[in-house]
Amino acid sequence: MIDESVYSTLRIEAERDEVRRLVVGAVVVRHQRVLILRRRRSDYLSGRWELPSGVVEPGEALDDAVTREVAEETGLEVTGISDYLGEFDYLSGGGARTRQFTFVVEVSATGPVTLTEHDTHLWTRLTGEPPVSDEVREILGRYQQRQRDPRGWSAYSLGNGA
């Protein structure tokens, strides 16, 4: 599990860097496959594959936001947050500087994926090139590296380019 101080440190750093919008993303793993979702054709960045993710509401804790977003976008229940994989910055559709923090989550084994904001989903093996952005591909690479050699990794250091 992640130490609570990591969440507050991430927020402090984002504020220091003048990030205006916070987003959480989730690497959801089931049977050695990762869940990715495809944006609807009518959405900003239509057709792009992404991790379950969404905006952190004002005053909302990062861990609560990731739990809520996974439930809202997939219908899956988060049972634990096991790792922090890092962040990346981008400009939102409205032009706000945005930082996405990405976490590895466990979900309950029951229930199918129920989409509300995407048009399809895929449980993908990470052996090839999943059809995601370069930033998400890098995050997934960190996840794979962590699975191969969990020793010596610090959840916090991953977010600082380590």
Side-chain angles (χ1 to χ4, degrees):
M1 298 312 273
I2 296 174
D3 186 282
E4 288 293 320
S5 66
V6 171
Y7 298 120
S8 59
T9 300
L10 295 174
R11 280 185 172 279
I12 289 166
E13 289 177 353
E15 188 174 317
R16 179 201 64 211
D17 295 343
E18 298 181 1
V19 172
R20 301 286 177 235
R21 191 168 171 243
L22 302 180
V23 169
V24 289
V27 173
V28 180
V29 182
R30 196 184 267 175
H31 308 294
Q32 283 105 31
R33 294 176 186 253
V34 172
L35 179 63
I36 56 175
L37 312 174
R38 188 176 68 192
R39 285 180 169 267
R40 290 183 177 147
R41 299 289 177 207
S42 58
D43 285 351
Y44 175 68
L45 299 175
S46 69
R48 176 176 278 183
W49 289 89
E50 61 188 4
L51 299 171
S53 58
V55 174
V56 178
E57 301 296 335
E60 186 176 31
L62 295 179
D63 53 341
D64 291 341
V66 76
T67 299
R68 177 184 53 76
E69 284 294 339
V70 169
E72 285 178 5
E73 292 192 357
T74 70
L76 299 173
E77 177 189 354
V78 171
T79 58
I81 301 173
S82 61
D83 205 353
Y84 172 65
L85 294 175
E87 74 264 351
F88 56 89
D89 291 358
Y90 62 94
L91 291 180
S92 70
R97 183 166 178 207
T98 303
R99 180 163 294 166
Q100 178 171 318
F101 303 110
T102 304
F103 302 91
V104 178
V105 303
E106 291 97 31
V107 294
S108 62
T110 60
V113 173
T114 305
L115 301 176
T116 58
E117 300 176 20
H118 297 82
D119 63 10
T120 194
H121 74 282
L122 175 66
W123 289 98
T124 184
R125 291 196 184 277
L126 297 178
T127 53
E129 290 288 319
V132 294
S133 70
D134 291 343
E135 295 86 357
V136 171
R137 190 170 291 111
E138 184 178 330
I139 292 288
L140 292 175
R142 288 180 190 162
Y143 170 74
Q144 285 180 292
Q145 198 171 17
R146 182 72 182 248
Q147 295 308 297
R148 285 192 299 270
D149 184 15
R151 293 167 293 130
W153 288 91
S154 159
Y156 179 70
S157 69
L158 282 171
N160 288 305

